[in-house]
Short mmCIF file of all heavy atoms in Angstrom, two decimals:
data_model
loop_
_atom_site.label_atom_id
_atom_site.label_comp_id
_atom_site.label_asym_id
_atom_site.label_seq_id
_atom_site.Cartn_x
_atom_site.Cartn_y
_atom_site.Cartn_z
N HIS A 164 14.72 0.01 2.58
CA HIS A 164 14.14 -1.02 1.70
C HIS A 164 14.65 -0.94 0.27
O HIS A 164 14.42 -1.84 -0.52
CB HIS A 164 12.60 -0.91 1.70
CG HIS A 164 12.00 -1.31 3.01
ND1 HIS A 164 11.34 -2.50 3.18
CD2 HIS A 164 11.98 -0.71 4.21
CE1 HIS A 164 10.92 -2.60 4.44
NE2 HIS A 164 11.30 -1.52 5.08
N ARG A 279 5.05 -3.02 -9.82
CA ARG A 279 4.48 -1.68 -9.81
C ARG A 279 4.96 -1.03 -11.09
O ARG A 279 6.08 -1.30 -11.54
CB ARG A 279 5.02 -0.88 -8.61
CG ARG A 279 4.20 -1.01 -7.35
CD ARG A 279 4.69 -0.09 -6.26
NE ARG A 279 6.13 -0.09 -6.10
CZ ARG A 279 6.95 0.80 -6.62
NH1 ARG A 279 6.48 1.82 -7.34
NH2 ARG A 279 8.25 0.73 -6.41
N SER A 314 0.96 -2.71 -11.77
CA SER A 314 0.02 -2.05 -10.86
C SER A 314 0.30 -0.55 -10.81
O SER A 314 1.46 -0.12 -10.79
CB SER A 314 0.00 -2.68 -9.48
OG SER A 314 1.19 -3.32 -9.21
N PHE A 356 -4.56 -6.39 -8.10
CA PHE A 356 -5.37 -7.59 -7.94
C PHE A 356 -5.33 -8.06 -6.50
O PHE A 356 -4.36 -7.80 -5.79
CB PHE A 356 -4.80 -8.72 -8.81
CG PHE A 356 -5.00 -8.48 -10.27
CD1 PHE A 356 -3.98 -7.96 -11.06
CD2 PHE A 356 -6.22 -8.76 -10.86
CE1 PHE A 356 -4.16 -7.72 -12.40
CE2 PHE A 356 -6.41 -8.53 -12.22
CZ PHE A 356 -5.38 -8.00 -12.98
N ASP A 378 16.82 -2.85 -7.98
CA ASP A 378 15.71 -3.15 -7.06
C ASP A 378 16.31 -3.55 -5.71
O ASP A 378 17.25 -4.35 -5.68
CB ASP A 378 14.90 -4.35 -7.63
CG ASP A 378 13.43 -4.27 -7.29
OD1 ASP A 378 13.08 -3.61 -6.31
OD2 ASP A 378 12.63 -4.90 -8.02
N GLY A 379 15.79 -2.98 -4.63
CA GLY A 379 16.32 -3.28 -3.31
C GLY A 379 16.36 -4.79 -3.10
O GLY A 379 17.42 -5.39 -2.91
N MET A 380 15.18 -5.43 -3.13
CA MET A 380 15.12 -6.88 -3.01
C MET A 380 14.38 -7.48 -4.20
O MET A 380 14.91 -8.23 -4.97
CB MET A 380 14.41 -7.26 -1.68
CG MET A 380 14.20 -8.73 -1.48
SD MET A 380 15.72 -9.70 -1.57
CE MET A 380 16.74 -8.98 -0.32
N ASN A 381 13.09 -7.18 -4.35
CA ASN A 381 12.10 -7.73 -5.27
C ASN A 381 11.41 -8.94 -4.64
O ASN A 381 11.89 -10.07 -4.69
CB ASN A 381 12.65 -8.11 -6.65
CG ASN A 381 11.48 -8.31 -7.62
OD1 ASN A 381 10.74 -9.28 -7.52
ND2 ASN A 381 11.28 -7.37 -8.51
N LEU A 382 10.29 -8.64 -4.00
CA LEU A 382 9.53 -9.67 -3.30
C LEU A 382 8.75 -10.56 -4.25
O LEU A 382 8.44 -11.70 -3.91
CB LEU A 382 8.58 -9.01 -2.29
CG LEU A 382 9.27 -8.23 -1.17
CD1 LEU A 382 8.25 -7.63 -0.23
CD2 LEU A 382 10.25 -9.12 -0.40
N GLU A 386 7.89 -14.45 -3.94
CA GLU A 386 6.50 -14.93 -3.92
C GLU A 386 6.30 -16.03 -4.96
O GLU A 386 5.61 -17.02 -4.71
CB GLU A 386 5.54 -13.77 -4.19
CG GLU A 386 5.44 -12.81 -3.01
CD GLU A 386 4.72 -11.51 -3.33
OE1 GLU A 386 4.29 -11.32 -4.49
OE2 GLU A 386 4.58 -10.68 -2.42
C1 LIG B 501 10.12 -1.95 -2.22
C2 LIG B 501 11.48 -2.11 -2.91
C3 LIG B 501 11.72 -4.34 -1.82
C4 LIG B 501 2.20 -5.77 -6.77
N1 LIG B 501 1.11 -5.64 -7.52
C5 LIG B 501 0.09 -6.15 -6.79
C6 LIG B 501 0.60 -6.62 -5.57
N2 LIG B 501 1.88 -6.37 -5.58
C7 LIG B 501 2.77 -6.73 -4.45
C8 LIG B 501 3.71 -7.85 -4.82
C9 LIG B 501 4.81 -7.65 -3.80
C10 LIG B 501 4.82 -6.14 -3.61
O1 LIG B 501 3.57 -5.64 -4.09
C11 LIG B 501 5.91 -5.48 -4.44
O2 LIG B 501 7.12 -5.69 -3.79
P1 LIG B 501 8.50 -5.58 -4.55
O3 LIG B 501 9.56 -6.03 -3.63
O4 LIG B 501 8.43 -6.42 -5.79
O5 LIG B 501 8.67 -4.07 -5.00
P2 LIG B 501 8.42 -2.57 -4.39
O6 LIG B 501 6.99 -2.24 -4.33
O7 LIG B 501 9.23 -1.68 -5.28
O8 LIG B 501 9.03 -2.58 -2.90
C12 LIG B 501 11.77 -3.58 -3.15
C13 LIG B 501 10.44 -4.04 -1.06
O9 LIG B 501 10.24 -2.63 -0.92
C14 LIG B 501 10.47 -4.65 0.36
O10 LIG B 501 11.57 -4.22 1.10
O11 LIG B 501 11.78 -5.73 -2.09
O12 LIG B 501 13.04 -3.74 -3.75
O13 LIG B 501 11.52 -1.39 -4.14
O14 LIG B 501 4.49 -8.22 -2.57
O15 LIG B 501 3.02 -9.08 -4.73
N3 LIG B 501 -0.16 -7.21 -4.61
C15 LIG B 501 -1.48 -7.36 -4.86
N4 LIG B 501 -2.04 -6.90 -6.02
C16 LIG B 501 -1.30 -6.32 -7.01
O16 LIG B 501 -1.83 -5.96 -8.06
N5 LIG B 501 -2.27 -7.94 -3.92
#
Side-chain angles (χ1 to χ4, degrees):
H164 290 254
R279 271 186 315 97
S314 25
F356 290 99
D378 212 337
M380 177 56 58
N381 195 289
L382 297 181
E386 288 168 359

